[in-house]
Amino acid sequence: MTQTAAIETPREAPKEASAPVVAQHAATLKALPFSDTRDFDEAARGFLGTVENARIASAQGRVVWSLEPYAFLSSEQSPPTVDPSLWRQSRLNMHHGLFEVVPGVYQVRGLDIANMTLIEGDSGVIVVDTLTSIEGARAAMELYFKHRGLRPVAAVIFTHTHTDHWGGARGVLAEDVLASGSVPIIAPNLFMEHAVSENIIAGPAMLRRAQYQFGPLLAKGPRGQIDCGLGKSMAAGSVALLRPSNLIMATGDRRTIDGVEFEFQMAPNSEAPAEMHFFIPRYKVLNLAENCTHNFHNLLPFRGADVRDSLAWSKYLGEALQLWGGKADAMCGQHHWPVWGQERIDTMIRQQRDLYKFAHDQTIRLMNHGLTATEIAETIKLPASLDGAWHARGYYGHIRHNVKAIYQKYLGWYDANPVNLDPLPPVEAGRKYVEYMGGADAILARAAKDFAKGEFRFVAQALSHLVFADPDNQSARALLADTFEQLGYAAESATWRNAYLFGAQELRQGMPKVPPRAPMPRETLAALRSEQLWDVLGVRLNGPKAEGKHIVLNWNFTDTGETFVLTLENSALTYVAGAQAAVADAGFALPRGVLDEVIAKLTSFPEAVTAGKIKVSGNPMRLAELMGLMDEFPRMFEIVEPKRTPAS
């Protein structure tokens, strides 16, 4: 590839790996212990059967999950366009089906990014985590029943608040069982609060950013998406949130579920804001949820989240060792494959404990020496004992961005240099950078030379300024896409690779065309507390449009007995629970379930009023006026180029 071709001809097809990237991969092959194949043995251990190609379809025939597009991973040798270490992890994540952990404990792996763990009790089966989709959960249960016989579900346990661990619950519990409430749904304390805040309130932005993290819209292949570290990608099926009926409140809590004793450990603010571990003495099986997986996890995922507490995470793993060290014959998590043997289990927990502690302590040490987040990322190196442990590699999280998360947790986004206190936004800054650097042609010429030398990180920075200054400059877009692509090929972290390659794709092809955002499912709405519904509504209020408006609405939910006053003033929407305003613009008496149906667009407010489901007092047009002030969030928005339609 000549320099001029990279500049002058926009290319849409993925390119070959450059010489600097190939050289980096060769060094990786020499540096890491590829002769250690224990993970491959353990990932295959206990296999009982599977679904062909792990293919799962909806009732309408739409494929929501399949590993068939990843058949290229059958080759043991990594191609030049993939980091060899990441290729190894991606091949390990291809194992799929039902596996026996120990007699009585089973896992369905590879039918989703997450695992379903099935624990046999005296009369039924206890289901731990229900995958992302309802369709996937049903397929997992059918696979289990096929090999272990039909058993009633005795309980459902959610280990933590992320969607891939609870989204498929309706595929595990039949409608009549769910309606009866006879099967307990067990989760850590504050599960609902965090499941909502992490996945619903900021959901629109997170879902768009998650496209960069997981790469679902990239082509599958050696020059495209191959994995996301924890597994392949997110399932594309139906999701619904069920409210837990039973909360675990404290470490040391012991529960007997269908005759099986569980010992629980709380681990809040670790991988999830609400998360827990457990040990099963009957089976000598330890489950550390998502806190001890076969990679260095994320302390701040690209999709966005609360910054995770690396110090607390390390302490929970240390506490797990104190509680159960030397007691477990097998350890399984809710991603990846189990490990067996007390010594191997304890070694892995110790190394994972020290991985998060090292990252925390050394970040803080360098921070207190005055280094900024980017300087720390450039300086810090894992000790050899951790760097050479496969399960400590940064396939999902990475030391270079996890240290920035730790810095952010303690000191925030500002590095104390006043130049970064109030910088120009990307478009305005881009125009000035282009002007200072002598214009577009000068930038492109310099960038092409540095690209040829493999200086991709700075080339990306320089060209990004040009794209934000002039998003229609096809030469700039093409060369920046080529640069992102090489950075993706070089990345050991699957999430870094996905982000770079998806950025390259959008520069070449524009944002993908996707269907409009579907309404929130009624089942999910029903799981929310009424206060959470008002919180979701509040973040949709367009403040500038609401300037100077004052609206007071009384709400009375006749089925739950709840009352609320909803008030718009000062361009903010607030509510008071357990009250009614003496003077209100309007009042509404209705079952809470009817409001859920309206929000889910199963009916309209006027239709429900006409049907007698809602009683209205005062001026109902004031509600219409309030709803007219609400934003509809776009499913897609620009990331690697300027916003074409800025939000107001």
Side-chain angles (χ1 to χ4, degrees), residues 63-92:
V63 176
V64 302
W65 181 266
S66 175
L67 295 183
E68 189 171 9
Y70 297 97
F72 61 88
L73 284 164
S74 61
S75 172
E76 185 174 347
Q77 183 175 358
S78 58
T81 53
V82 183
D83 175 89
S85 175
L86 177 57
W87 185 260
R88 176 187 181 277
Q89 180 79 351
S90 302
R91 295 185 69 239
L92 283 162

Side-chain angles (χ1 to χ4, degrees), residues 186-256:
I186 302 167
N189 186 36
L190 301 178
F191 174 89
M192 281 300 297
E193 288 79 356
H194 292 299
V196 171
S197 65
E198 278 219 318
N199 298 285
I200 295 178
I201 288 179
M206 282 190 181
L207 287 172
R208 169 62 170 140
R209 291 164 60 109
Q211 294 172 356
Y212 276 74
Q213 179 173 337
F214 295 106
L217 301 179
L218 287 169
K220 311 298 187 288
R223 299 187 189 185
Q225 199 266 0
I226 63 169
D227 208 75
C228 72
L230 284 178
K232 283 287 161 268
S233 189
M234 297 297 289
S238 305
V239 174
L241 175 62
L242 297 183
R243 182 189 296 274
S245 58
N246 197 323
L247 296 178
I248 303 300
M249 303 299 293
T251 295
D253 194 336
R254 294 171 183 260
R255 303 286 177 93
T256 299

Side-chain angles (χ1 to χ4, degrees), residues 203-450:
M206 282 190 181
L207 287 172
R208 169 62 170 140
R209 291 164 60 109
Q211 294 172 356
Y212 276 74
Q213 179 173 337
F214 295 106
L217 301 179
L218 287 169
K220 311 298 187 288
R223 299 187 189 185
Q225 199 266 0
I226 63 169
D227 208 75
C228 72
L230 284 178
K232 283 287 161 268
S233 189
M234 297 297 289
S238 305
V239 174
L241 175 62
L242 297 183
R243 182 189 296 274
S245 58
N246 197 323
L247 296 178
I248 303 300
M249 303 299 293
T251 295
D253 194 336
R254 294 171 183 260
R255 303 286 177 93
T256 299
I257 307 170
D258 195 24
V260 179
E261 184 183 30
F262 286 70
E263 300 174 5
F264 288 97
Q265 177 198 12
M266 301 300 289
N269 300 314
S270 53
E271 187 271 336
E275 189 152 350
M276 64 185 184
H277 308 151
F278 59 82
F279 178 66
I280 310 171
R282 175 191 288 189
Y283 296 118
K284 296 184 179 179
V285 168
L286 176 60
N287 189 309
L288 296 182
E290 202 168 323
N291 283 330
C292 191
T293 55
H294 286 275
N295 56 208
F296 195 3
H297 212 293
N298 258 315
L299 296 180
L300 182 55
F302 294 170
R303 65 176 172 82
D306 287 343
V307 178
R308 295 157 184 178
D309 191 334
S310 182
L311 181 59
W313 195 324
S314 174
K315 289 181 177 179
Y316 295 135
L317 293 177
E319 183 179 53
L321 272 175
Q322 292 299 311
L323 291 169
W324 302 306
K327 296 181 180 179
D329 290 339
M331 178 174 70
C332 61
Q334 294 310 118
H335 289 274
H336 300 141
W337 52 95
V339 295
W340 287 267
Q342 293 177 359
E343 181 179 353
R344 181 154 164 75
I345 292 168
D346 290 359
T347 297
M348 182 172 176
I349 297 174
R350 283 198 305 273
Q351 288 180 323
Q352 287 272 314
R353 174 199 65 190
D354 295 344
L355 176 64
Y356 294 97
K357 188 64 160 59
F358 174 88
H360 174 273
D361 291 357
Q362 295 308 304
T363 298
I364 303 304
R365 180 181 70 84
L366 293 170
M367 184 180 81
N368 285 329
H369 276 292
L371 274 67
T372 64
T374 53
E375 290 169 335
I376 295 169
E378 206 68 22
T379 302
I380 198 165
K381 304 293 180 188
L382 289 176
S385 57
L386 296 178
D387 197 49
W390 286 116
H391 64 82
R393 304 298 299 178
Y395 304 118
Y396 190 56
H398 194 282
I399 186 67
R400 289 177 61 82
H401 76 248
N402 277 345
V403 299
K404 296 176 183 177
I406 296 167
Y407 185 99
Q408 178 177 320
K409 179 174 177 60
Y410 282 89
L411 295 183
W413 59 269
Y414 179 45
D415 63 4
N417 184 340
V419 73
N420 297 316
L421 181 59
D422 191 24
L424 287 172
V427 171
E428 290 77 3
R431 290 170 180 163
K432 295 303 293 184
Y433 274 108
V434 171
E435 178 187 338
Y436 271 52
M437 289 189 283
D441 290 343
I443 294 172
L444 286 166
R446 295 283 296 271
K449 292 179 181 178
D450 285 348

